[in-house]
Amino acid sequence: MKVEFAPLSVPLQRRLQTASVVQWMFSFLCLAQCCTAAFIALFFTRFWLVSALYAAWWLIDREKPSKGGRRIHVLRNCIVWRYMRDYFPITLVKTAELDPRQNYLVGFHPHGVLATGAFLNFCTEASGFSTLFPGITPHLMMLPLWFRVPFFRDYVMSGGLIPSDKNSASYVLQKPEGGNLLAIIVGGVQEALDAQPGCFTLVLKNRKGFVRLAIQHGTPLVPAFSFGENDVFNQIKNPKGSWLRRIQNGLRQIMGVSLPLFHARGIFQYSFGLIPYRRPICTVVGKPIPVQKKHRPSEEEVNQVHQKYLNELSKLFEKHKAKYNIPEDSHLEFI
């Protein structure tokens, strides 16, 4: 006898979607602190052996984040991420085939406040990455400091996150069998401070390290633009030169992370809170840009490839912006 389950009601679906987003935000805003506190606190209880054993494991396993991490497919395929996808909703669009016999370096733009599209599209299977790009294993780079947090490091590695340093990137890109995709949010934490709805300013003009890395490994560059990434949060006005921006830049230089003061809606009301707005995010992955391998590229060679990348990213934006209600007179600005 076949058992059929009644579909969830719309109000219940919405509650589950909101709950999934709350869980995701909690995991990145609070879980790291909770993991650190739990690790230290356990030393002062009868369960001290848990922290002691984990500390020994941490020491043995310290190089794992830089060696491709340790993804757990059960967590990548968790139903929670599908509810999160449907909350906004978030979609992933392919414009060209990627050969699984090659490695690829994807530049993701813009950062947004919390890099929502980058996380869900490359660190989970909610948007169907493996179906769209069969044979390709995605990795997303994240600030190294998060991999120094006990327990939390294992959580972020489970989705395919790796530290944003040269050694970690090279490990992924140098695999001769191919099939690896390394996604880098090029604008980084600096770009997060400009994440305002309707803003198309990218911190990219002088960011050339990812281009040099691609040339050194002969890895094709792939531009990706996430339409709507900047629209899910509002941010307190912080124009360049303002006291707030100076404080944020100072903290960024000291701590390595930016602290955008963002707000959106609440859990039970829509006027104010920290829950993102229900606004669609669509990440469009462009076509690969072939790169000739050279161990020590000159500045001129790096500049040429960098300019080609800027041109292809602009073309990608201009070609698709009308589909996502971007005004005709809006264009990318590189700073």
Side-chain angles (χ1 to χ4, degrees):
M1 183 177 66
K2 183 178 180 181
V3 179
E4 294 185 359
F5 296 93
L8 297 175
S9 64
V10 173
L12 180 56
Q13 287 180 359
R14 293 232 165 187
R15 285 196 292 270
L16 288 171
Q17 291 165 7
T18 304
S20 69
V21 173
V22 172
Q23 175 186 324
W24 162 70
M25 291 192 64
F26 173 81
S27 69
F28 279 94
L29 297 179
C30 303
L31 188 56
Q33 293 89 331
C34 292
C35 286
T36 303
F39 178 76
I40 297 172
L42 284 173
F43 275 113
F44 300 94
T45 70
R46 59 180 177 173
F47 301 107
W48 64 269
L49 188 59
V50 174
S51 287
L53 290 174
Y54 184 84
W57 162 251
W58 191 2
L59 181 63
I60 296 171
D61 195 55
R62 63 187 181 278
E63 299 295 331
K64 192 62 179 179
S66 298
K67 303 296 182 184
R70 185 188 300 105
R71 66 186 59 233
I72 301 175
H73 293 286
V74 172
L75 293 180
R76 282 182 58 88
N77 287 278
C78 183
I79 192 173
V80 169
W81 307 129
R82 295 199 290 275
Y83 283 124
M84 177 180 166
R85 172 201 65 196
D86 295 337
Y87 172 89
F88 293 94
I90 296 175
T91 53
L92 181 64
V93 175
K94 177 178 73 173
T95 62
E97 296 292 337
L98 298 185
D99 186 351
R101 294 170 297 181
Q102 280 192 303
N103 297 316
Y104 295 92
L105 197 160
V106 172
F108 181 93
H109 315 274
H111 183 287
V113 171
L114 295 178
T116 311
F119 171 78
L120 192 126
N121 286 317
F122 297 116
C123 298
T124 80
E125 288 296 331
S127 56
F129 182 93
S130 295
T131 302
L132 287 172
F133 302 103
I136 303 291
T137 301
H139 301 265
L140 177 65
M141 303 200 88
M142 187 181 191
L143 287 174
L145 68 89
W146 297 114
F147 295 90
R148 303 184 190 120
V149 181
F151 304 121
F152 186 74
R153 67 188 287 274
D154 300 280
Y155 170 70
V156 295
M157 278 197 293
S158 69
L161 285 156
I162 63 173
S164 55
D165 57 56
K166 187 176 180 179
N167 290 336
S168 302
S170 295
Y171 182 87
V172 172
L173 297 179
Q174 69 188 5
K175 290 193 173 182
E177 66 272 19
N180 284 310
L181 180 149
L182 178 64
I184 301 177
I185 307 176
V186 183
V189 294
Q190 181 180 345
E191 194 171 84
L193 297 177
D194 290 316
Q196 300 277 3
C199 177
F200 304 106
T201 301
L202 304 180
V203 179
L204 187 56
K205 190 174 182 179
N206 296 313
R207 297 286 174 99
K208 302 177 183 178
F210 75 105
V211 174
R212 186 179 299 276
L213 189 67
I215 297 174
Q216 289 173 342
H217 292 279
T219 305
L221 283 164
V222 182
F225 193 87
S226 197
F227 293 90
E229 191 73 44
N230 285 341
D231 297 338
V232 296
F233 290 105
N234 291 323
Q235 191 171 164
I236 294 177
K237 298 295 183 181
N238 59 343
K240 293 176 182 176
S242 65
W243 64 269
L244 177 57
R245 178 60 74 95
R246 288 196 296 270
I247 292 174
Q248 289 173 322
N249 284 332
L251 291 173
R252 178 173 59 85
Q253 293 173 359
I254 296 171
M255 302 169 58
V257 296
S258 63
L259 295 173
L261 299 180
F262 61 91
H263 60 91
R265 50 157 289 194
I267 299 177
F268 303 110
Q269 44 78 29
Y270 296 90
S271 57
F272 188 82
L274 297 179
I275 308 302
Y277 293 116
R278 287 179 177 268
R279 293 172 181 169
I281 297 174
C282 184
T283 302
V284 182
V285 180
K287 63 181 181 180
I289 303 170
V291 174
Q292 185 176 358
K293 185 175 182 178
K294 190 170 183 179
H295 183 60
R296 293 183 178 178
S298 65
E299 285 298 321
E300 183 180 356
E301 290 169 326
V302 171
N303 290 338
Q304 288 177 351
V305 176
H306 183 261
Q307 186 58 52
K308 187 173 183 180
Y309 180 87
L310 296 183
N311 294 339
E312 290 299 324
L313 178 61
S314 295
K315 289 179 183 178
L316 181 71
F317 177 81
E318 295 296 331
K319 181 178 180 180
H320 294 274
K321 68 180 183 181
K323 301 176 187 176
Y324 306 108
N325 301 317
I326 307 299
E328 183 63 30
D329 60 350
S330 295
H331 308 285
L332 294 183
E333 178 186 359
F334 303 121
I335 60 173

